[in-house]
Amino acid sequence: MKHFLSTSDWSHEDLESLLQVAGELKQNPMNSTLKGRSIALLFLNPSMRTRTSFDLGMQQLGGIAIVLQPGRDAWGLEFDAGAIMEGDAEEHIAEAAGVLSRYCDLIGLRAFPSFVDWSKDREDKLIKSLAHYSSVPVINMETIVHPCQELAMMLTLKERMGVVSKRKMVLTWTWHPRPLNTAVANSALLMGTKFGMDVTLLCPEPAYLLDPQFMHTAKNNAAASGGSLQVSHDIQSAYSGADFVYAKSWGALPYYGEPEKEYELRKKYRHFIVNEEKMALTNNGLFSHCLPLRRNVKATDGVMDAPYCLAVDEAENRLHVQKALMMKLLGADQ
Ligand code: CP
């Protein structure tokens, strides 16, 4: 049984095939290939795009989605094997996954890291635990990676660029008042390199490098795809000649769990905002962001309202790629 926990587990060919089906579904959105099928969507954290696009997408394919928020409108969940459950959680993922697998054909999970101990969070144990106990395919709706966002980013780029290989992609850290999840940055790095892009990771200083497991996989991806990966701390040279700028803010991993200390580091870097002057250095480059985005903090109004901004297109494409994904996981894509 195949899950969708990370694009690292999927071949380039399989991902290309998903994007092909997604493009076809965008032209013909309604069908009944998943009539009678269902997905349980477990949200441990807030969402607008992910929740709406999965729920609507399943309905457009003839199926239904059940949205559950453990700890709010469903029992709080324990994910650790062998835990003595004397805390707040009333139910173990072993039973929850077992029961939902009897009811539903797919299970999605959003489980952001705890922001306490990166050495634990980097193992992505919650989604792995769900996949272990589930007898139906599991979809990652954002943990320490956000593979559905990766698919949407790449579909959007292919629509606008055609061929993406050897195009310069700048993944830029941006200012934000507090440290955020690295998931989208990890994912953008993985996807750009997997599809042969020349990726520059731009961040203010080495403390903002992504976890070595993602840097390492991205390097391997680039070696296999004919793309490249480099790190820059220089705004001018990184933006220069870029075909695509992808923005995200994330926390410095050496200060994980210490937001006050991290703030002392990050407060120097407000100038990492994406603005029209920086975009003017690019090769008529495109811009995108996963959303939500704080305007005039991460990117200016001028950038967000420019014709080169693809953020809303990318958000729309979440719907199409996730429909293709659900069909693929349920063998309905033939
Ligand atoms: N990009 C994204 O996942 O949006 P939501 O958090 O609103 O789902």
Side-chain angles (χ1 to χ4, degrees):
M1 182 176 59
K2 203 165 176 63
H3 299 295
F4 189 67
L5 307 188
S6 165
T7 55
S8 298
D9 308 328
W10 286 54
S11 69
H12 179 227
E13 292 69 31
D14 279 348
L15 296 173
E16 286 277 15
S17 154
L18 274 183
L19 297 180
Q20 173 77 30
V21 174
E24 291 162 11
L25 287 167
K26 191 167 182 171
Q27 300 306 315
N28 296 293
M30 314 298 267
N31 66 53
S32 54
T33 49
L34 298 188
K35 188 169 181 342
R37 314 302 286 274
S38 58
I39 184 167
L41 302 171
L42 295 174
F43 283 98
L44 307 193
N45 312 96
S47 165
M48 182 179 82
R49 279 146 288 271
T50 305
R51 176 178 171 156
T52 310
S53 54
F54 265 110
D55 190 345
L56 191 62
M58 195 45 146
Q59 291 184 48
Q60 290 182 353
L61 298 174
I64 60 165
I66 317 286
V67 177
L68 297 164
Q69 295 176 285
R72 291 176 63 180
D73 59 10
W75 300 113
L77 291 174
E78 172 62 58
F79 287 81
D80 276 348
I84 298 168
M85 291 177 55
E86 291 188 315
D88 292 337
E90 288 293 339
E91 178 148 41
H92 198 276
I93 192 63
E95 286 73 47
V99 171
L100 289 174
S101 297
R102 301 279 180 99
Y103 295 152
C104 298
D105 302 285
L106 294 165
I107 305 175
L109 174 67
R110 167 165 286 195
F112 290 173
S114 64
F115 296 98
V116 174
D117 181 349
W118 179 245
S119 71
K120 290 184 179 157
D121 285 345
R122 74 188 294 278
E123 293 176 22
D124 217 1
K125 274 190 180 162
L126 274 57
I127 191 108
K128 287 176 184 167
S129 177
L130 170 60
H132 173 76
Y133 291 114
S134 174
S135 54
V136 299
V138 167
I139 296 175
N140 186 335
M141 301 196 298
E142 190 174 350
T143 58
I144 61 165
V145 287
H146 197 351
C148 295
Q149 194 73 49
E150 288 177 57
L151 292 175
M153 180 194 83
M154 190 48 67
L155 178 61
T156 311
L157 272 185
K158 287 166 86 69
E159 286 171 344
R160 290 293 284 259
M161 287 181 174
V163 175
V164 299
S165 61
K166 303 309 291 175
R167 305 298 291 271
K168 181 175 178 181
M169 168 176 165
V170 178
L171 169 59
T172 180
W173 182 92
T174 69
W175 161 249
H176 186 280
R178 62 187 179 83
L180 302 179
N181 194 357
T182 53
V184 171
N186 295 331
S187 278
L189 197 73
L190 293 177
M191 200 62 161
T193 51
K194 194 145 192 160
F195 277 69
M197 301 187 80
D198 289 329
V199 179
T200 297
L201 171 62
L202 170 64
C203 58
E205 58 173 273
Y208 286 96
L209 287 175
L210 297 169
D211 186 276
Q213 65 181 316
F214 299 112
M215 300 296 293
H216 181 72
T217 304
K219 271 185 199 144
N220 287 345
N221 283 351
S225 68
S228 63
L229 173 63
Q230 59 174 299
V231 172
S232 173
H233 304 305
D234 180 69
I235 291 173
Q236 182 97 10
S237 61
Y239 274 78
S240 178
D243 298 299
F244 177 49
V245 175
Y246 201 64
K248 185 69 185 76
S249 190
W250 62 87
L253 295 177
Y255 296 85
Y256 198 79
E258 300 178 297
E260 293 83 14
K261 273 194 194 167
E262 207 263 4
Y263 186 78
E264 290 305 307
L265 187 73
R266 72 170 42 227
K267 69 183 184 185
K268 303 192 290 283
Y269 301 124
R270 287 175 183 266
H271 60 289
F272 270 74
I273 186 172
V274 184
N275 60 23
E276 297 94 309
E277 291 72 31
K278 293 190 184 90
M279 289 303 296
L281 298 169
T282 67
N283 178 29
N284 287 317
L286 301 166
F287 169 81
S288 196
H289 184 279
C290 61
L291 303 179
L293 174 141
R294 295 188 187 210
R295 277 177 175 243
N296 303 310
V297 172
K298 288 176 166 178
T300 59
D301 284 335
V303 169
M304 293 308 292
D305 296 331
Y308 56 68
C309 177
L310 308 181
V312 174
D313 295 337
E314 180 175 323
E316 180 199 326
N317 283 339
R318 291 286 304 277
L319 176 66
H320 310 303
V321 297
Q322 290 160 194
K323 287 165 71 179
L325 175 63
M326 291 189 285
M327 287 171 61
K328 174 79 179 171
L329 290 172
L330 293 177
D333 59 324
Q334 308 304 323

